[in-house]
Amino acid sequence: MSSFLGKASSVIWIVAGLIVIVLSALHIKNSHSNIELSCRNSVLEANPDDGALHKYAMVANFSLQGRSARISYRYYSLTGQPLVTLSMRGKIKSANHGTGTYVLSLTDSDIQNYQNHTEQPLHALHLAEFSNRNINNNGAHSLTIQLVKALGKNQVLLHFLPSTNLCICSLSQT
């Protein structure tokens, strides 16, 4: 009888091990992506000191390749002069291709100010501060995006979760 229990126990451990391997493989496979998103936005800000309105152009590029995630937020003056670039890098924590939902875990963030311009969009500074605080306190800045709807041949509506921010982006898949 003990021989039978020993064999049954071994079979259970083997089956449990195979289940863990299969689930791990599915998670890794589902974390892989090959998409590029390019989003163009306008940023309108009120100066906290004098209430003056400032308008900037912003280009946000999302590169999800394999398990790697890279985001670049580039800010420009209305005349097209580069002001600030915020870059973040990390990995795709999970990807649900059926719903178009991607959970990103960003572990590196840096901001580059262009020397010819002292003007810095508050949006860039706040985003850099927020992401760096999360990286320093939690080891990562988490961001979830969802491709909500195809709007044309190469355009999608992108939703930032859990916020209500929506953006129209150009999409290319490799």
Side-chain angles (χ1 to χ4, degrees):
M1 179 84 172
S2 67
S3 173
F4 173 74
L5 291 176
K7 288 180 183 178
S9 176
S10 295
V11 169
I12 290 172
W13 280 110
I14 291 170
V15 170
L18 288 172
I19 290 171
V20 168
I21 290 170
V22 168
L23 291 176
S24 295
L26 287 174
H27 173 73
I28 290 170
K29 181 181 179 220
N30 287 335
S31 297
H32 279 73
S33 298
N34 290 305
I35 63 173
E36 301 277 339
L37 294 160
S38 182
C39 313
R40 300 186 192 298
N41 300 297
S42 293
V43 176
L44 184 63
E45 302 176 337
N47 184 315
D49 297 328
D50 61 11
L53 292 178
H54 299 278
K55 189 174 181 180
Y56 304 100
M58 180 183 70
V59 176
N61 291 318
F62 297 81
S63 177
L64 309 178
Q65 298 297 319
R67 293 195 68 195
S68 297
R70 287 181 296 140
I71 301 173
S72 172
Y73 296 96
R74 295 176 294 162
Y75 296 82
Y76 299 90
S77 69
L78 292 182
T79 61
Q81 297 298 313
L83 300 173
V84 175
T85 297
L86 173 62
S87 300
M88 292 187 246
R89 291 163 301 287
K91 66 179 184 172
I92 302 169
K93 192 172 179 180
S94 68
N96 184 326
H97 301 291
T99 63
T101 304
Y102 301 87
V103 179
L104 311 179
S105 177
L106 306 165
T107 54
D108 294 304
S109 174
D110 60 78
I111 191 164
Q112 176 185 5
N113 296 307
Y114 295 96
Q115 296 176 349
N116 298 339
H117 299 282
T118 57
E119 189 176 4
Q120 298 177 342
L122 293 175
H123 185 267
L125 300 177
H126 291 156
L127 187 55
E129 183 180 300
F130 181 63
S131 64
N132 283 328
R133 184 174 51 244
N134 286 335
I135 291 168
N136 292 334
N137 292 339
N138 306 322
H141 173 68
S142 295
L143 175 66
T144 301
I145 58 174
Q146 181 181 26
L147 307 178
V148 178
K149 181 179 180 181
L151 300 174
K153 183 177 178 184
N154 294 321
Q155 286 192 326
V156 295
L157 184 62
L158 182 66
H159 183 203
F160 295 87
L161 302 167
S163 75
T164 58
N165 295 337
L166 295 169
C167 187
I168 295 174
C169 305
S170 298
L171 169 70
S172 63
Q173 296 179 313
T174 55

